[in-house]
Amino acid sequence: MKIDDLVCCQELYYTGKLLVMRDAAQMRLKELHEQDRPLPVKLEGAVVFYAGPAKPTKESFGAIGPTTSIRMDCFLEMLFQQGVQATIGKGKRSDLSTSLCRRYGRAYLLAPSGAAASLSKRIKSLRVIAYEDLGTEAVYEIEVENFPLIVATDKNGLDIFSFNRR
């Protein structure tokens, strides 16, 4: 996926690696970032999926669906500074998020909500790469195939949620 080629409202199917993380892991990463300490995970070039895995095992998540992204906005600039290319989640984000996508030339993508069992079938491999003690909030690396996404905010700051608003 080339961020420069993504256009707001575009539908696509992504095949490749994603880093799955939520609030607790990002809070730890941000603390390390602010202390100028090395992070336990490589974020350069990564795509971060804000998701809630259900009962992960070594072989499967069972179900995995996007989680609300707006509450992750306080971590977004740190992710972009560390080289994250795009984030994936659900729902509208803050004006700050749109501004950061434009400033850093990054994107925000939507994964279908309410399809967690179906999305889990698109996962080809998974492994915990940081903060195993957080359980379902650990950082996972997953490999997906034909993962359905919609570009919500492109690198120019065009935002799907701003269309048809009066």
Side-chain angles (χ1 to χ4, degrees), residues 2-85:
K2 264 187 88 176
I3 300 305
D4 289 345
D5 296 338
L6 299 179
V7 179
C8 184
C9 302
Q10 174 185 356
E11 296 178 17
L12 63 125
Y13 289 89
Y14 176 74
T15 297
K17 292 182 179 178
L18 299 174
L19 293 181
V20 178
M21 66 174 79
R22 296 190 326 199
D23 316 59
Q26 288 184 90
M27 191 173 307
R28 288 185 183 182
L29 292 173
K30 187 174 183 183
E31 287 172 7
L32 291 174
H33 173 77
E34 289 172 347
Q35 297 168 5
D36 236 3
R37 295 175 53 203
L39 304 184
V41 58
K42 180 182 177 279
L43 295 177
E44 183 66 39
V47 178
V48 170
F49 183 24
Y50 304 132
K55 298 182 184 176
T57 68
K58 291 186 190 242
E59 297 82 35
S60 169
F61 276 134
I64 185 170
T67 195
T68 304
S69 300
I70 195 167
R71 71 176 200 265
M72 310 297 176
D73 286 357
C74 61
F75 306 112
L76 188 60
E77 187 161 27
M78 178 268 304
L79 292 180
F80 288 166
Q81 288 172 346
Q82 290 290 325
V84 167
Q85 295 296 300

Side-chain angles (χ1 to χ4, degrees), residues 49-156:
F49 183 24
Y50 304 132
K55 298 182 184 176
T57 68
K58 291 186 190 242
E59 297 82 35
S60 169
F61 276 134
I64 185 170
T67 195
T68 304
S69 300
I70 195 167
R71 71 176 200 265
M72 310 297 176
D73 286 357
C74 61
F75 306 112
L76 188 60
E77 187 161 27
M78 178 268 304
L79 292 180
F80 288 166
Q81 288 172 346
Q82 290 290 325
V84 167
Q85 295 296 300
T87 56
I88 301 169
K90 73 175 181 181
K92 183 178 181 348
R93 296 189 83 166
S94 67
D95 291 340
L96 172 64
S97 170
T98 303
S99 171
L100 290 171
C101 284
R102 183 174 41 253
R103 182 182 326 152
Y104 288 92
R106 306 295 199 249
Y108 168 52
L109 309 164
L110 299 171
S113 181
S118 177
L119 289 177
S120 70
K121 292 182 172 126
R122 312 278 179 141
I123 298 173
K124 300 305 170 193
S125 67
L126 66 96
R127 67 186 178 104
V128 175
I129 59 171
Y131 306 131
E132 188 168 6
D133 63 300
L134 294 177
T136 59
E137 291 237 5
V139 179
Y140 291 86
E141 178 184 80
I142 63 174
E143 182 103 22
V144 297
E145 186 175 314
N146 295 323
F147 202 81
L149 300 168
I150 298 171
V151 179
T153 309
D154 66 22
K155 69 171 189 141
N156 298 311

